Amino acid sequence: SEVEYLNYDVLSDFGWEPGDDDLFGKAAAADLDEVDYGAFEVHPGESLLEAAEDRGFAWPFACRGGACANCAVLLLDGELSMPASHVLPEELMERGFRLSCNGMPITDELKVVYNVKHMPELDDLLL
Ligand code: FES
């Protein structure tokens, strides 16, 4: 699977919102650093976080076990499978929040905003 990623910090820098039309098009046109915007492959059996780390990126995490939400990402396209037991409430799952530490891509292409742990929605979940 190919994952296109964007750092949540960039959104506030540019005044963008996760729901903006063509958010990733704007990111592609903004000449961002590779740390903040780009794409990589996730191999079968790898979690999204493992794949990011394998490519040399330092995405946020803490527990690596689905219990803290520090590794949360917002999925704008595609799907990540997740184990049944994890910290995200159904309401946030419906809005596209997933965990990168135990989420494995199940679609060929994904678009994710990573580093979303600072979004107010996740305040109560961070340990
Ligand atoms: Fe804690 Fe992913 S690192 S839930």
Side-chain angles (χ1 to χ4, degrees), residues 43-56:
H43 303 301
E46 271 183 330
S47 71
L48 181 58
L49 179 63
E50 285 168 345
E53 290 174 335
D54 190 56
R55 292 291 306 271

Side-chain angles (χ1 to χ4, degrees), residues 61-69 71 99 101:
F61 70 90
C63 73
R64 287 185 177 273
C68 75
C71 68
L99 301 174
C101 71

Side-chain angles (χ1 to χ4, degrees), residues 5-79:
Y5 61 88
L6 177 62
N7 186 348
Y8 181 66
D9 283 347
V10 169
L11 274 63
S12 38
D13 291 350
F14 283 81
W16 299 338
E17 299 288 338
D20 286 0
D21 285 345
D22 198 26
L23 175 65
F24 277 70
K26 291 195 284 191
D31 194 27
L32 298 170
D33 194 280
E34 202 192 345
V35 166
D36 293 324
Y37 169 75
F40 56 76
E41 282 290 319
V42 182
H43 303 301
E46 271 183 330
S47 71
L48 181 58
L49 179 63
E50 285 168 345
E53 290 174 335
D54 190 56
R55 292 291 306 271
F57 299 121
W59 286 15
F61 70 90
C63 73
R64 287 185 177 273
C68 75
N70 280 283
C71 68
V73 299
L74 179 60
L75 204 56
L76 298 183
D77 195 18
E79 187 52 283

